[in-house]
Amino acid sequence: MTMETNFLQPQDGKINNGNDNMIFEFSGDDDVWVFIDDVLVLDLGGVHASVSGSIDFATGEVKVNGVADTTIREMFIKAGKSESEIHSIFGDSDTFKDYTTHHMKYYYLERGGDVANCHIKFNLQTIPEKDIVVGKQ
């Protein structure tokens, strides 16, 4: 199963008038990969029992089974982005700069033949393909 969307990083990574962190969550078995701007940010690949993973766009934390494993920024560094690219994307934060747009791709592969589970929950501020986004610089 694949899914992809464009999304907006809101101010401070918060939605609902600043009351809630913007978060992508997954729980299930077997392979899951989440790429943001073509960088692997969440890797739950392999054959395994049910595990959970999340990406918190307010803190930048990437968690596996509820434990902060890395950050979005660290994954971009690991992917080989230059220091100037990292600074332009993140500034001094572990998450994206406010009001920037990004592209997420999600991949799920079920290897079992008879039992599977997959739960996805997210509150990303998606951008429909036919919308116009205007930014102030």
Side-chain angles (χ1 to χ4, degrees):
M1 175 172 62
T2 64
M3 172 179 68
E4 60 184 281
T5 190
N6 294 313
F7 68 94
L8 174 73
Q9 172 74 12
Q11 183 177 4
D12 299 324
K14 302 264 187 182
I15 61 166
N16 297 329
N17 297 318
N19 293 317
D20 299 314
N21 289 8
M22 188 170 79
I23 299 176
F24 175 90
E25 297 174 308
F26 168 84
S27 65
D29 57 357
D30 296 344
D31 303 291
V32 168
W33 301 281
V34 179
F35 290 82
I36 300 175
D37 300 335
D38 295 322
V39 171
L40 180 60
V41 174
L42 180 61
D43 183 354
L44 301 175
V47 177
H48 48 74
S50 185
V51 296
S52 64
S54 66
I55 304 167
D56 188 322
F57 293 90
T59 65
E61 287 183 328
V62 178
K63 294 181 180 180
V64 175
N65 287 328
V67 177
D69 187 48
T70 188
T71 66
I72 301 169
R73 179 188 191 103
E74 288 172 354
M75 295 306 288
F76 272 66
I77 292 168
K78 184 178 177 180
K81 299 292 183 182
S82 70
E83 285 186 37
S84 62
E85 285 178 294
I86 295 295
H87 186 72
S88 70
I89 297 167
F90 297 96
D92 295 324
S93 174
D94 283 328
T95 194
F96 301 119
K97 287 183 176 179
D98 294 346
Y99 308 115
T100 54
T101 58
H102 303 277
H103 187 78
M104 184 186 80
K105 294 178 185 175
Y106 164 87
Y107 298 92
Y108 171 74
L109 175 65
E110 174 53 50
R111 295 178 190 235
D114 58 348
V115 178
N117 66 77
C118 170
H119 177 83
I120 305 166
K121 179 180 173 184
F122 62 92
N123 57 6
L124 276 69
Q125 303 299 288
T126 59
I127 303 169
E129 287 186 29
K130 296 185 182 192
D131 277 11
I132 297 173
V133 178
V134 178
K136 181 179 176 182
Q137 292 188 7

